[in-house]
Amino acid sequence: MSPYRPSSSGRPVPHLVDAAETMDRDRFATLVAPTFSAVRVRPLTDGTFRSSLRSAVAGDVRVSVLSGSPCVVTRGPDLVHAGDPAFLSVSMQRIGRSAVAQDGRRCLLGPGDLVNYVTSRPYEVTFWEPYEAVLVTVPLAALGAHADTLALRTAIAVGTDRGPRDVVGTLFDALATKITDCSAGDASSSKEYLADAIVSLVIAELVDIAPLGAGEDLADRMLAHCLSHLSDPGLTVESVGRALGVSVRYLHKVLAPTGMTLSAWIRRQRLERIGRDLADESLRGRTVGAIAARWGISDAGHLSRALKAEFGMTASEIRRSGHWERGGPRPLPGRPHLLGTGGAQTVPLRSAATG
């Protein structure tokens, strides 16, 4: 599909270059190559893999809106070759939570967070849950004096919930909702100017970002470890401490400002994923017990009560309705969109993480 259409003057004008949905992970990897470069995609769920892409170009800038089911997008060293074009990709998470790893750093993102990474070096993006993300991709060579600075500040989460950066968040939200208009018959060059302005604004807000503090970095690594091991019944506060090389006491200290425990957070993450799988039509043949075990809960005896208390529906009600929406998070200091937990009364649920 050509990325250009002729204007009334005969001059090519950037327009919507791709809009596609696929259930095939290899096809998805091909679709996102202009944004992510060559990557491998690994689904994180047992149900049907779903993905959607909307992408538009204007001059050197590509704007993409990605959404789909949980997956890991990896650009390993074997996929990186000398001479590969180098792009800076600036991503804003709109829905769901994700993690970005590059250059020895790993950060977690919730709705409204920005992050940048460079496509000419290995990286990994993990979408832990159903997601939507907006990405602005631009050649590093087009960034002039800012190229080296931004290329060294990868995988650092930047919030857009306050201060000047809320303007960036607002613009990214607008891009996500208006990108389809790029296929309209307007032959003006306004889209190119808008894309350049967006990139300039993003650069202005990202060039001065500082690395995470020790506590924030540990919190990101802790949550990323937990999300990667939710299916392990042996996931405990003690096992997390051992994996990260810190004491349980220090883990509690890091989480103290949130007013919650790590075991409670793990429990809610498991319940969210169980609820999501129960509503998945493609998993109707799987028993409730099997779905619970998939997420590290070996004793599902109290599962329906726990789901009812946390989200207002029992396991059978979720399965009958075929509908699932995660309960709203209770605001917490620090990183509310990552550490949020529902305010509903909890019911004891026997698993390795509730001790």
Side-chain angles (χ1 to χ4, degrees):
M1 184 176 187
S2 171
Y4 297 96
R5 56 175 168 75
S7 68
S8 57
S9 64
R11 177 178 178 267
V13 177
H15 76 303
L16 190 72
V17 296
D18 209 346
E21 296 185 4
T22 181
M23 295 183 181
D24 181 88
R25 62 179 179 180
D26 293 329
R27 169 64 175 158
F28 181 57
T30 300
L31 289 174
V32 300
T35 297
F36 286 118
S37 294
V39 294
R40 293 188 178 90
V41 177
R42 176 171 59 87
L44 290 178
T45 59
D46 294 334
T48 302
F49 176 74
R50 299 179 178 88
S51 61
S52 174
L53 167 72
R54 290 173 288 152
S55 184
V57 293
D60 289 329
V61 179
R62 176 180 294 271
V63 178
S64 303
V65 180
L66 301 175
S67 61
S69 51
C71 64
V72 181
V73 178
T74 304
R75 181 160 167 77
D78 61 313
L79 296 178
V80 177
H81 305 289
D84 283 350
F87 293 94
L88 179 79
S89 187
V90 182
S91 174
M92 189 185 84
Q93 193 78 14
R94 293 193 78 225
I95 298 173
R97 284 164 291 190
S98 66
V100 173
Q102 189 171 53
D103 300 330
R105 289 183 295 273
R106 185 182 185 91
C107 69
L108 266 69
L109 300 97
D113 281 347
L114 286 170
V115 69
N116 64 274
Y117 48 92
V118 177
T119 62
S120 56
R121 301 199 293 267
Y123 68 85
E124 183 175 271
V125 180
T126 303
F127 297 105
W128 301 110
E129 51 201 31
Y131 69 92
E132 183 176 87
V134 186
L135 297 96
V136 172
T137 306
V138 62
L140 272 178
L143 299 176
H146 299 298
D148 291 341
T149 300
L150 291 173
L152 293 174
R153 295 181 179 178
T154 57
I156 300 174
V158 178
T160 60
D161 55 343
R162 61 177 62 87
R165 292 194 179 107
D166 63 359
V167 177
V168 181
T170 300
L171 284 174
F172 270 64
D173 276 330
L175 280 175
T177 57
K178 298 294 185 181
I179 192 172
T180 303
D181 294 344
C182 291
S183 62
D186 180 11
S188 76
S189 59
S190 60
K191 298 182 187 70
E192 283 196 63
Y193 295 133
L194 176 60
D196 289 344
I198 291 169
V199 171
S200 296
L201 181 59
V202 168
I203 289 172
E205 296 304 328
L206 293 182
V207 290
D208 62 347
I209 59 176
L212 296 173
E216 292 175 302
D217 179 63
L218 177 62
D220 276 4
R221 290 189 290 122
M222 173 177 60
L223 299 185
H225 176 83
C226 291
L227 288 169
S228 297
H229 293 80
L230 286 177
S231 60
D232 181 3
L235 179 65
T236 64
V237 178
E238 290 76 18
S239 71
V240 174
R242 288 193 298 270
L244 300 181
V246 298
S247 68
V248 169
R249 180 179 179 182
Y250 189 63
L251 288 180
H252 288 315
K253 180 180 179 180
V254 170
L255 285 181
T258 71
M260 67 178 299
T261 65
L262 180 59
S263 59
W265 185 83
I266 292 172
R267 174 185 179 279
R268 181 177 173 88
Q269 299 307 306
R270 285 173 160 158
L271 289 176
E272 287 178 358
R273 285 153 180 76
I274 290 170
R276 183 186 68 204
D277 285 359
L278 287 171
D280 191 331
E281 184 71 28
S282 66
L283 297 177
R284 285 300 173 93
R286 190 165 300 185
T287 67
V288 173
I291 288 176
R294 164 71 176 82
W295 294 110
I297 296 176
S298 55
D299 182 353
H302 300 293
L303 180 61
S304 285
R305 289 178 56 207
L307 288 168
K308 181 76 171 181
E310 199 78 43
F311 305 117
M313 299 176 73
T314 64
S316 59
E317 289 170 342
I318 294 172
R319 178 150 270 182
R320 281 198 304 270
S321 71
H323 179 70
W324 171 249
E325 287 186 5
R326 188 176 69 194
R330 179 180 63 199
L332 293 168
R335 302 172 72 82
H337 47 287
L338 297 178
L339 290 167
T341 182
Q345 178 184 1
T346 58
V347 173
L349 182 64
R350 189 176 303 169
S351 76
T354 58

